[in-house]
Amino acid sequence: SRAFEQSTARLQATLDSMLDPLVVLQAVRDESGALVDLEYVEVNDAAVAYNRTTREELLGRRVSEMFPGHLDEGPLALYFQVIESGEPAVLDDLPYVNERIGAETRTDTRAVRCGDGIALTWRDITERWQEQQRIIEAERRFRMLAENSSDIVLLCDRRGHVTWASPSLQRTAGWTL
């Protein structure tokens, strides 16, 4: 009916307006009813762009076909648990070697049961994670230099209070914080 078509079009427009990728995956079960895979039944534009594919290439395909790493690295088992338990999954800083992108990515991922499947959305935090790693490494190098320097190094807050002093201050002046 026309009302159903309009409703479907509105739903698709809503999904496609989302900035984060979203997919709906249907359970694939074996003869005994055990979960063996998930099949793409809906994807938004952000998921298509993120995975460098087309909607037609994803829809009807299984996760294991498109992303075999999900089997080896464990996300698929986590998604199965969401379906079986009904408990949502919140997976922050999830590392994954994305076969389509050809690089390790980091995502904040959310999965909720949707019938006999899941709705899955994620946010790529790879750049933020890499920047945090650069900061951690810079702080490590600074600390190593400052703690092993013969110069006296003081760090002060905005009010001028000393918040850190190099070990050389104690060796040179006998002062401690």
Side-chain angles (χ1 to χ4, degrees), residues 2-170:
R2 181 157 167 76
F4 177 74
E5 289 174 10
Q6 288 176 333
S7 178
T8 301
R10 278 194 302 273
L11 177 59
Q12 188 64 54
T14 301
L15 295 175
D16 289 340
S17 71
M18 295 176 60
L19 298 176
D20 289 332
L22 172 104
V23 298
V24 178
L25 303 165
Q26 182 67 34
V28 176
R29 297 179 181 274
D30 66 14
E31 305 81 39
S32 69
L35 277 164
V36 294
D37 210 334
L38 296 170
E39 181 179 304
Y40 289 89
V41 294
E42 189 56 66
V43 297
N44 71 354
D45 285 347
V48 168
Y50 182 85
N51 288 306
R52 299 178 183 168
T53 187
T54 65
R55 180 175 266 111
E56 295 73 27
E57 186 179 7
L58 283 173
L59 293 177
R61 300 283 298 275
R62 293 182 176 191
V63 171
S64 63
E65 293 176 71
M66 299 300 294
F67 299 97
H70 274 62
L71 297 171
D72 299 333
E73 295 186 22
L76 201 57
L78 295 169
Y79 305 156
F80 288 176
Q81 185 177 352
V82 170
I83 294 169
E84 297 293 5
S85 71
E87 292 295 318
V90 176
L91 309 165
D92 288 332
D93 193 22
L94 181 68
Y96 177 67
V97 178
N98 187 315
E99 301 93 337
R100 311 270 314 165
I101 295 173
E104 180 177 272
T105 60
R106 297 283 178 144
T107 61
D108 287 345
T109 301
R110 305 294 183 264
V112 296
R113 184 165 59 187
C114 179
D116 192 30
I118 61 170
L120 177 71
T121 187
W122 65 94
R123 179 167 292 162
D124 189 326
I125 61 160
T126 306
E127 288 179 19
R128 182 177 75 200
W129 182 84
Q130 290 169 338
E131 183 60 27
Q132 287 171 337
Q133 297 310 301
R134 284 190 287 274
I135 291 169
I136 288 168
E137 179 58 22
E139 288 174 349
R140 186 194 66 76
R141 285 193 312 268
F142 172 78
R143 186 171 310 289
M144 184 179 67
L145 286 170
E147 288 177 354
N148 294 295
S149 172
S150 60
D151 294 334
I152 294 174
V153 179
L154 298 174
L155 295 180
C156 300
D157 64 17
R158 291 182 178 153
R159 295 176 302 209
H161 298 118
V162 175
T163 58
W164 184 85
S166 62
S168 60
L169 177 64
Q170 185 173 0

